[in-house]
Amino acid sequence: MIEKLDEIKSNAIDELSSLQSIKELEDWRVRYLGKKSALTQILRGLASRPLEERKAVGASANELKSLLERSHRQKKEALKEKAYQEMEAAAVGKQIISPTGIPSEEKFGIPTVFLGIPDVTLPGRPIPLGRLHPTTQMVREICDIFVALGFQVVEGPEVEWDYYNFEALNIPPDHPARDMWATLWIDTKSGERPMLLRTHTSPMQIRVMERTTPPVRVVVPGKVYRYEATDATHESMFYQIEGLAVDKNITLADLKGTLYEFARRLFGAERKVRFRCDYFPFVEPGVEMAIDCMVCGGTGCRLCSGTGWIEILGAGMVHPAVLRRVNYDPEIYTGFAFGLGLERMSMLRYGVEDIRLFYSNDLRFLRQF
Amino acid sequence: MKAPLNWLREYVDIALSPKELAKRLTMSGTEVKGIETIGGWENIVVGQVVAIEPHPHAARLKLATIDLRGECLRSVCGASNLEMGQKVAFARIGAPLIDPQSGEPVRLERAKIRGIASEGMICSERELGISDRHEGIMVLPPDAPLGVPLNDYLGDAIFDLDITPNRPDCLSIIGIAREVAALTGKSVCLPETRYDEPGELIERKVSVEIADPDLCPRYCASLITDVKVAPSPPWMEQRLLACGMRPINNIVDVTNYVMLEYGQPLHAFDYERLAPKRIIVRRAGDESITTLDGVERMLQSDMLVIADGEGPVAIAGVMGGSGSEVTEETTSVLIESANFNSVSIRRTAARLKLRSEASLRFEKGISPELTMLALKRATQLMAELSGGKIARGIIDVYSGKKEAKPIALSTKQVERILGIKIGLEKMMKVLCSLGFDCQTVSTEELSIAIPYWRTDVRLAEDLVEEIARIIGYDELPITLPSGALPQYEADPMRAIRERASDILAGCGIQEVITYSLISLEVSRKVVLNSGLTPLKIANPITTEQEYLRTTLRPGLLEALSANEKHEEGSIRLFEVGKVYLPREGNLPEERQMLAGVLSGPRLDRSWHGEGEVLDFFDVKGVLETLFERLGVEASFEPVNDELFNPGRVARIMLWGEELGIIGELHPRMAEGFDISRPVYLFEINLEKLLPTTIAPRKYRPIPRFPATLRDIALVMDGEVAAKRVQDIIQSFPLVAKVALFDVYTGEQVPQGKKSLAFRILYQSPSRTLTDEEVNKEQERILERLHRELGAALRA
Ligand SMILES: [Zn+2]
């Protein structure tokens, strides 16, 4: 029995050294290690042998089995390595013969290799590309900034009652400040409540406060509408983001800090910010915020009309009349509010000079974002 | 509002440069939009005509000798208004001027005119660029300083100011001077108005009655007789022009000048043309008036008019009537200085579409105290300029002065709003500089009386703004809100919208945003036979944007059509947006929709070959991806819809409800949008997907036991929907997954039949299935398919 094992061993090792391919190696494995191989037969037959023989032959047979397995593994590695080297040698100095190279037949059982070299400068297979509209991107970016500052994002109706758009915001009928918002009115029957397309996102200040008890910290993105002849800087439909924070101890300094942080995150930490007095009927004091001009750096140019500053939003402390309107006690609560035009932010960021590009949906424009 | 720097200087000392002053005004709320510099008159000085001789060779020309203080130069001059002793603007050789014919800038060159050398030129207003006047030379006032450069004498900086609607007091030079004074620590000095009243007692000449004191709290009037109507002096004309008003004559100009100066609109009536002795301020009846602009206007009963004994002579606070207009023949002038109800004026002006400088001031609510001050100033100026005689006394009908209550303001209130402690002293200093009268109540509180011109200040908060804006917002600290964060409320609609957008963009579709307002015509193209009337805009900008959309389809199709003109490859667009569905007596339902249009090749042309044209299943695949990612199992059912190509349309169902539609647009519809190639369109009601965001996802364990794969090919009638076969197979308990991998019709199967091939994955969560178990399950499946659908295993 031991002789038999020796014979298997010497035959197997001899044959192994002359093998040239993975295929031949696989045949070899079946021959010497397969289920029907002599070695396997011997190992299977051991159980019926006396203990002495079982011990002696068993040890030798298992030793031979692991030797052959090890040799098989090594030979397999060597053959693969040889194939890789051939592939690499074939590639060196080869001309580009076809765009993708010519696949060779399967060699040594390793994955298909290319005989030629593909022209890697050729374009890849096109995959249709989709993008979000620049306004959507800007809405998300700005909302994300305010969310990081503890604000929640809420939304509201675009068709509004006069009450929310004006009256509750301290702008009664026939108030001269109504001229600040040229309004598109809904055709209603006479005697019905006046309905309009909201001219700003500010009505949501009222709606949010009506249904919430302080503290309030929200931003409201959305479409707004104006009765306006369109030109490079005016659209009849555009987006605004409204902000509102109401609590005990909210101050103008908090307004400044919040908006300062916003401007730096959106336009860069090096931006300077300016706050000046302005008027909106639903805030007191009223604020306008500007950033230093990114084109001229403050020396004055066409973009900033020579002032060195670019107005980016209106803001202020919520007017006591507005707080009282929603049954917030202005002796207890204070708040700040702000509103900014979305497209203006995009225009400044990307240098877009005509607002009408945003909603005419020319793919040559949209693809740039 | 325009404000010339030199005019401001009459009331307040200004040491700052125009640029610095503009900055301070802007920061404090009076925005300076621009500064126009008047001047640039190099080599032009104030001279005096000291001799006039005839030109030896030209009858119409004269030789003028001009004294430039010590130096005398000779000029050839053709102006008919040249007179001895006049002060004039004299341009030396080399001075930059405006060519009166072309309007182009030129330099004055040495020239001989009809043989006589001219050593300079006496300028017209047009040549100096001051106005368009070129009928004669510009004559300067007698007190113009001889020899002084014109730049120093007439040069100016004109501020273009954006006055916010709350500050009607700043629609005046004096109002702006008050701002300047507060910002620079100076005080304001108002013009003196003292004059003799040599005429008859005014009450004998005219009476004033206010029929509606609510609409006219105060009416003051003065009378000047023996006036001589003539052009105003140059200084007044220049100021009016600088402020954008056209000079007319010395009567009308004074009313405009004083309105600009004080912010109180005035009106001058030709006294002789008033039906004598009576002014009645009343509501209009059923009558009309021809206004100064020559338009006859029908009046309505809530409009306030000034009437004489016969009828309306002016629309109160808006515009005068032409019947009592001051003309060159006018000899007596009644000056009106009144206060009208702001709402009434605004309504009247809006209704008549007639917004005047007067109505713009009245509608913002100016103080009744102004009437008397402005009237006296106007009376004095008008008498001076027209040589008239002032009647004795002033008529003043005043329903009673309303005293504004003082406002209490504590340092605590200021700190609560501004976030910084400001001392009582500092508060007082700022408020006093603005004309507020401050009384100390305690060490922490002031009682503040509001000056009459500040009709906008009513609350402590208003005073806080006054303090903050004068100190400067930039001086306030920067902090972040310190309170607790509000309770978080999720917004599932926004979440689902954003997820859907991200998925579709990931599927290669470009997001667009189209207008919510569309034309009725375009709306009708895509919404057929619907009883729904879209909401209409009462005052549309164009008919293109007159109705609120009830579907996203038209905007997308228009965008596709417009892009088709320049796009070579496929066009794939989607929009997530609202449609507006009217509701009786309420705001419309604003429903969130998702829609898309796709057209063109599946793959854009490249060296890899050109893709086939997109078909129904490309678009359906996109939606299946969307639903898969959202975790919903929507199904597609055949449906009839006239908008789509018959048979190539399906409605999308979810939980037994219609979620949306998908299909190939009917060529007729596509052509309506000028689209020539096949277009696939889908539209989904996003709100129906809302429950997906609310139901939390549950994890299912990964199967632990091996699966068995079996492929079967079935032959059945062509009409049997694949979905029915699939649903039946899927319903068997051991079937974990079933996928359709081949559809065949043709020679290999009988006429009218088709073959569907499925790969079925059998798997149990609790054990390894034996071949026998799988075979039995498959037999049951085949038996049921045969029984219900007539399907048989393909031979
Ligand atoms: Zn600039």
Side-chain angles (χ1 to χ4, degrees):
Chain A
M1 204 48 90
I2 299 291
E3 299 81 47
K4 178 83 175 149
L5 288 174
D6 284 343
E7 190 194 330
I8 293 171
K9 180 177 173 183
S10 78
N11 286 350
I13 300 298
D14 277 1
E15 278 177 39
L16 189 68
S17 59
S18 62
L19 297 180
Q20 292 297 322
S21 74
I22 298 273
K23 174 89 178 60
E24 289 167 4
L25 180 65
E26 181 59 16
D27 292 346
W28 179 90
R29 191 190 63 77
V30 171
R31 211 154 49 241
Y32 291 102
L33 288 164
K35 280 181 193 164
K36 290 173 183 161
S37 67
L39 181 58
T40 307
Q41 300 297 333
I42 291 169
L43 282 165
R44 273 202 200 135
L46 279 178
S48 58
R49 296 281 172 174
L51 181 68
E52 277 305 287
E53 195 183 339
R54 223 190 305 172
K55 269 191 180 166
V57 177
S60 299
N62 276 318
E63 199 179 307
L64 177 59
K65 189 183 177 196
S66 58
L67 171 74
L68 292 184
E69 280 172 349
R70 201 163 55 240
S71 304
H72 173 261
R73 241 183 352 260
Q74 284 165 355
K75 184 68 184 181
K76 192 170 179 181
E77 288 308 310
L79 284 174
K80 273 194 184 175
E81 187 54 35
K82 191 169 149 237
Y84 292 143
Q85 280 169 8
E86 274 177 34
M87 182 182 79
E88 284 160 10
V92 173
K94 275 270 167 66
Q95 299 287 314
I96 294 165
I97 45 180
S98 85
T100 53
I102 301 170
S104 70
E105 74 264 39
E106 185 164 314
K107 213 176 174 194
F108 315 125
I110 51 174
T112 308
V113 293
F114 290 95
L115 288 177
I117 303 174
D119 179 358
V120 296
T121 68
L122 284 165
R125 287 197 181 79
I127 289 175
L129 199 61
R131 296 177 175 82
L132 296 180
H133 191 280
T135 294
T136 304
Q137 295 183 35
M138 188 55 83
V139 167
R140 290 196 190 178
E141 185 173 348
I142 292 176
C143 286
D144 286 349
I145 291 173
F146 284 107
V147 165
L149 294 171
F151 286 74
Q152 286 184 35
V153 184
V154 295
E155 290 170 357
E158 293 167 23
V159 184
E160 262 295 6
W161 301 117
D162 179 288
Y163 176 81
Y164 287 102
N165 196 75
F166 289 125
E167 221 174 319
L169 289 166
N170 207 23
I171 317 166
D174 300 303
H175 193 285
R178 285 203 174 201
D179 291 351
M180 294 163 78
W181 299 274
T183 309
L184 284 162
W185 296 91
I186 302 290
D187 193 20
T188 49
K189 294 181 205 111
S190 73
E192 285 183 341
R193 288 175 76 182
M195 204 190 281
L196 47 78
L197 290 181
R198 67 175 174 194
T199 59
H200 47 184
T201 40
S202 308
M204 275 303 284
Q205 288 187 29
I206 305 297
R207 287 185 178 274
V208 167
M209 287 192 284
E210 273 181 348
R211 66 182 188 218
T212 322
T213 46
V216 172
R217 254 189 242 188
V218 293
V219 284
V220 190
K223 277 181 180 174
V224 302
Y225 303 84
R226 300 275 170 90
Y227 180 85
E228 197 125 46
T230 56
D231 60 27
T233 52
H234 296 89
E235 251 293 10
S236 57
M237 178 187 92
F238 54 98
Y239 277 74
Q240 278 191 344
I241 288 192
E242 191 79 9
L244 175 72
V246 183
D247 200 352
K248 295 167 185 166
N249 308 319
I250 295 263
T251 68
L252 190 56
D254 294 335
L255 178 160
K256 281 183 68 179
T258 304
L259 294 179
Y260 181 54
E261 189 57 32
F262 156 72
R264 284 161 42 102
R265 289 194 194 192
L266 190 65
F267 291 108
E270 70 281 9
R271 287 269 77 80
K272 290 196 205 81
V273 171
R274 182 190 81 175
F275 294 92
R276 56 171 287 264
C277 179
D278 203 352
Y279 168 74
F280 308 96
F282 39 97
V283 290
E284 189 72 33
V287 177
E288 178 216 88
M289 182 169 85
I291 54 174
D292 62 331
C293 178
M294 50 271 279
V295 171
C296 64
T299 53
C301 68
R302 202 163 59 92
L303 178 67
C304 58
S305 320
T307 61
W309 293 97
I310 296 171
E311 300 165 11
I312 63 167
L313 59 83
M317 299 299 290
V318 181
H319 199 285
V322 173
L323 292 175
R324 239 175 257 122
R325 179 75 70 160
V326 294
N327 296 318
Y328 283 15
D329 185 349
E331 301 292 318
I332 299 172
Y333 296 108
T334 50
F336 66 75
F338 58 87
L340 59 92
L342 237 289
E343 292 77 7
R344 188 162 164 73
M345 304 298 120
S346 297
M347 290 169 85
L348 291 171
R349 163 82 73 81
Y350 304 116
V352 177
E353 285 178 347
D354 193 331
I355 193 172
R356 289 167 295 192
L357 284 167
F358 285 91
Y359 307 118
S360 53
N361 293 309
D362 190 318
L363 284 167
R364 293 168 295 185
F365 174 73
L366 297 177
R367 269 201 282 264
Q368 297 182 38
F369 302 96
Chain B
M1 172 83 194
K2 299 273 180 72
L5 188 60
N6 283 343
W7 196 353
L8 285 170
R9 284 201 165 111
E10 278 190 17
Y11 317 106
V12 60
D13 283 343
I14 298 172
L16 297 175
S17 71
K19 214 177 157 194
E20 178 61 24
L21 183 63
K23 191 183 149 203
R24 291 207 197 170
L25 282 167
T26 297
M27 292 300 280
S28 65
T30 313
E31 188 181 0
V32 179
K33 287 186 291 184
I35 306 172
E36 187 196 343
T37 308
I38 302 281
W41 299 304
E42 284 166 61
N43 280 323
I44 304 176
V45 292
V46 177
Q48 186 165 26
V49 183
V50 290
I52 301 177
E53 298 158 58
H55 191 292
H57 311 305
R60 289 178 54 232
L61 296 178
K62 295 189 179 89
L63 302 180
T65 304
I66 312 298
D67 179 10
L68 304 173
R69 197 168 185 192
E71 182 188 11
C72 282
L73 294 177
R74 194 167 59 173
S75 168
V76 179
C77 180
S80 56
N81 65 335
L82 181 73
E83 278 174 34
M84 269 294 287
Q86 278 170 335
K87 291 275 179 67
V88 294
F90 186 79
R92 296 173 187 269
I93 303 300
L97 293 171
I98 305 291
D99 183 294
Q101 267 76 46
S102 69
E104 298 291 317
V106 288
R107 283 205 177 262
L108 182 62
E109 286 173 30
R110 196 176 293 280
K112 274 189 179 175
I113 298 168
R114 304 294 288 267
I116 306 281
S118 192
E119 297 167 310
M121 192 171 85
I122 306 172
C123 303
S124 72
E125 288 183 21
R126 186 164 163 85
E127 283 158 341
L128 291 170
I130 290 174
S131 80
D132 280 343
R133 276 201 204 169
H134 191 56
E135 297 90 59
I137 54 167
M138 180 169 82
V139 181
L140 301 176
D143 63 355
L146 206 58
V148 164
L150 196 66
N151 268 343
D152 296 353
Y153 177 54
L154 281 186
D156 206 348
I158 298 168
F159 292 93
D160 185 6
L161 302 155
D162 199 0
I163 305 298
T164 54
N166 60 325
R167 293 298 302 273
D169 61 309
C170 282
L171 291 172
S172 73
I173 302 295
I174 288 174
I176 294 156
R178 286 198 180 103
E179 288 291 306
V180 173
L183 290 167
T184 57
K186 299 278 166 41
S187 52
V188 169
C189 163
L190 294 186
E192 283 219 12
T193 47
R194 261 187 289 178
Y195 49 82
D196 293 334
E197 296 175 343
E200 240 183 289
L201 195 63
I202 188 165
E203 276 87 359
R204 289 214 192 114
K205 306 282 281 183
V206 68
S207 72
V208 173
E209 180 194 329
I210 301 175
D212 201 332
D214 284 344
L215 298 188
C216 177
R218 190 174 192 181
Y219 195 103
C220 301
S222 67
L223 182 68
I224 307 178
T225 57
D226 306 300
V227 300
K228 192 170 169 288
V229 178
S232 300
W235 63 267
M236 179 175 278
E237 293 195 339
Q238 274 150 30
R239 282 186 175 171
L240 291 173
L241 284 167
C243 292
M245 299 198 88
R246 197 166 51 88
I248 294 164
N249 56 46
N250 54 1
I251 306 300
V252 175
D253 289 354
V254 165
T255 61
N256 285 333
Y257 184 87
V258 175
M259 174 181 72
L260 291 173
E261 190 178 36
Y262 280 83
Q264 166 69 46
L266 302 162
H267 187 66
F269 294 103
D270 183 335
Y271 174 74
E272 305 294 343
R273 294 169 76 187
L274 294 173
K277 294 205 172 197
R278 270 188 88 185
I279 288 285
I280 310 150
V281 187
R282 60 163 170 84
R283 283 169 194 265
D286 189 13
E287 52 201 343
S288 70
I289 182 172
T290 303
T291 40
L292 286 173
D293 52 7
V295 180
E296 183 176 354
R297 297 171 190 277
M298 281 308 299
L299 301 173
Q300 283 157 346
S301 66
D302 56 351
M303 295 177 176
L304 194 70
V305 296
I306 314 298
D308 64 5
E310 283 169 2
V313 292
I315 305 170
V318 178
M319 195 174 269
S322 60
S324 56
E325 184 181 3
V326 171
T327 64
E328 282 177 25
E329 281 78 49
T330 300
T331 55
S332 296
V333 177
L334 183 78
I335 314 174
E336 165 198 290
S337 180
N339 188 273
F340 301 111
N341 178 288
S342 57
V343 170
S344 159
I345 297 293
R346 186 175 160 84
R347 277 193 195 151
T348 302
R351 196 89 57 77
L352 296 172
K353 295 195 168 59
L354 185 60
R355 309 192 84 178
S356 59
E357 289 286 331
S359 78
L360 284 176
R361 285 170 173 80
F362 281 125
E363 70 169 25
K364 295 186 174 77
I366 51 178
S367 168
E369 293 305 296
L370 266 178
T371 53
M372 188 59 90
L373 294 167
L375 181 63
K376 285 184 174 167
R377 171 71 166 158
T379 307
Q380 175 197 33
L381 272 176
M382 208 179 286
E384 264 173 38
L385 299 188
S386 69
K389 205 156 88 178
I390 301 171
R392 187 142 54 86
I394 278 179
I395 289 179
D396 182 8
V397 185
Y398 196 2
S399 57
K401 188 173 172 178
K402 288 197 185 79
E403 288 288 353
K405 269 198 203 134
I407 301 172
L409 184 68
S410 67
T411 51
K412 227 173 167 176
Q413 272 169 300
V414 175
E415 187 182 359
R416 197 170 89 92
I417 294 166
L418 299 184
I420 185 178
K421 224 184 188 82
I422 290 172
L424 206 67
E425 294 284 306
K426 182 96 181 256
M427 283 166 52
M428 271 179 90
K429 191 169 163 251
V430 169
L431 291 171
C432 290
S433 76
L434 285 163
F436 292 89
D437 191 4
C438 304
Q439 303 291 323
T440 311
V441 176
S442 72
T443 53
E444 281 161 7
E445 189 173 323
L446 296 174
S447 171
I448 295 145
I450 314 301
Y452 69 84
W453 62 87
R454 290 304 300 271
T455 48
D456 61 312
V457 175
R458 293 185 194 95
L459 307 170
E461 283 79 2
D462 297 328
L463 291 168
V464 174
E465 178 179 85
E466 294 301 304
I467 294 167
R469 71 183 184 91
I470 298 299
I471 290 174
Y473 286 3
D474 280 345
E475 299 300 310
L476 301 177
I478 284 182
T479 57
L480 285 173
S482 55
L485 290 185
Q487 182 166 353
Y488 177 76
E489 280 170 54
D491 180 356
M493 181 38 82
R494 203 169 66 88
I496 203 156
R497 228 176 41 212
E498 291 194 353
R499 283 196 69 197
S501 299
D502 287 340
I503 293 164
L504 290 180
C507 289
I509 311 181
Q510 168 70 49
E511 188 194 14
V512 295
I513 297 175
T514 67
Y515 292 101
S516 313
L517 289 169
I518 59 176
S519 72
L520 191 60
E521 187 202 344
V522 92
S523 172
R524 289 212 171 119
K525 277 189 204 170
V526 290
V527 184
L528 300 175
N529 316 322
S530 143
L532 200 71
T533 313
L535 280 179
K536 185 173 185 281
I537 300 299
N539 57 333
I541 303 163
T542 67
T543 52
E544 300 292 298
Q545 301 196 342
E546 196 175 2
Y547 289 85
L548 274 163
R549 66 184 179 193
T550 55
T551 161
L552 299 182
R553 296 171 194 185
L556 280 164
L557 289 169
E558 283 180 334
L560 182 115
S561 171
N563 278 297
E564 217 184 23
K565 311 264 182 299
H566 53 76
E567 286 298 314
E568 247 192 276
S570 68
I571 301 174
R572 303 156 194 239
L573 309 173
F574 79 91
E575 177 166 17
V576 178
K578 288 174 169 180
V579 299
Y580 310 83
L581 309 174
R583 287 187 293 203
E584 187 66 33
N586 204 343
L587 296 176
E589 179 194 347
E590 298 186 9
R591 188 181 289 170
Q592 305 256 9
M593 301 293 285
L594 163 64
V597 289
L598 292 90
S599 168
R602 184 173 300 150
L603 275 181
D604 286 352
R605 187 177 176 170
S606 76
W607 67 273
H608 300 284
E610 190 165 10
E612 295 163 59
V613 172
L614 279 165
D615 66 20
F616 180 87
F617 298 100
D618 290 296
V619 188
K620 187 177 176 190
V622 168
L623 291 188
E624 283 170 337
T625 305
L626 173 70
F627 297 142
E628 169 95 36
R629 287 287 312 276
L630 294 176
V632 297
E633 284 182 38
S635 60
F636 297 74
E637 295 179 351
V639 70
N640 286 323
D641 192 312
E642 291 173 65
L643 281 176
F644 294 89
N645 215 342
R648 299 191 182 185
V649 51
R651 63 178 175 176
I652 309 165
M653 302 295 292
L654 182 65
W655 301 311
E657 282 189 272
E658 185 166 338
L659 176 66
I661 197 157
I662 173 176
E664 183 186 321
L665 207 63
H666 197 293
R668 200 187 297 126
M669 296 298 151
E671 267 166 42
F673 288 89
D674 204 14
I675 300 168
S676 51
R677 28 182 217 188
V679 182
Y680 294 91
L681 182 149
F682 63 85
E683 193 169 31
I684 285 171
N685 180 352
L686 273 183
E687 319 224 331
K688 291 259 161 75
L689 287 173
L690 263 185
T692 63
T693 59
I694 295 159
R697 289 198 179 199
K698 271 280 197 243
Y699 150 84
R700 278 193 311 267
I702 295 165
R704 284 167 51 208
F705 299 95
T708 305
L709 279 176
R710 292 286 168 87
D711 291 348
I712 55 169
L714 300 158
V715 179
M716 66 202 79
D717 283 346
E719 298 89 73
V720 176
K723 177 79 168 42
R724 292 184 63 199
V725 184
Q726 180 141 4
D727 284 349
I728 288 175
I729 300 173
Q730 186 77 70
S731 69
F732 282 79
L734 294 183
V735 174
K737 211 174 133 189
V738 56
L740 176 70
F741 69 88
D742 189 44
V743 180
Y744 176 80
T745 53
E747 288 166 15
Q748 313 275 321
V749 293
Q751 186 81 27
K753 299 267 181 183
K754 68 179 170 191
S755 159
L756 302 179
F758 294 91
R759 167 159 289 191
I760 307 171
L761 189 96
Y762 295 95
Q763 198 167 31
S764 157
S766 56
R767 65 186 190 282
T768 304
L769 296 176
T770 65
D771 278 359
E772 205 174 331
E773 278 177 296
V774 172
N775 290 343
K776 274 196 176 147
E777 185 81 337
Q778 186 145 316
E779 271 165 35
R780 281 192 290 269
I781 292 173
L782 290 170
E783 192 271 325
R784 190 165 153 210
L785 289 174
H786 183 70
R787 181 158 37 87
E788 291 186 17
L789 304 175
L793 209 54
R794 189 169 159 191

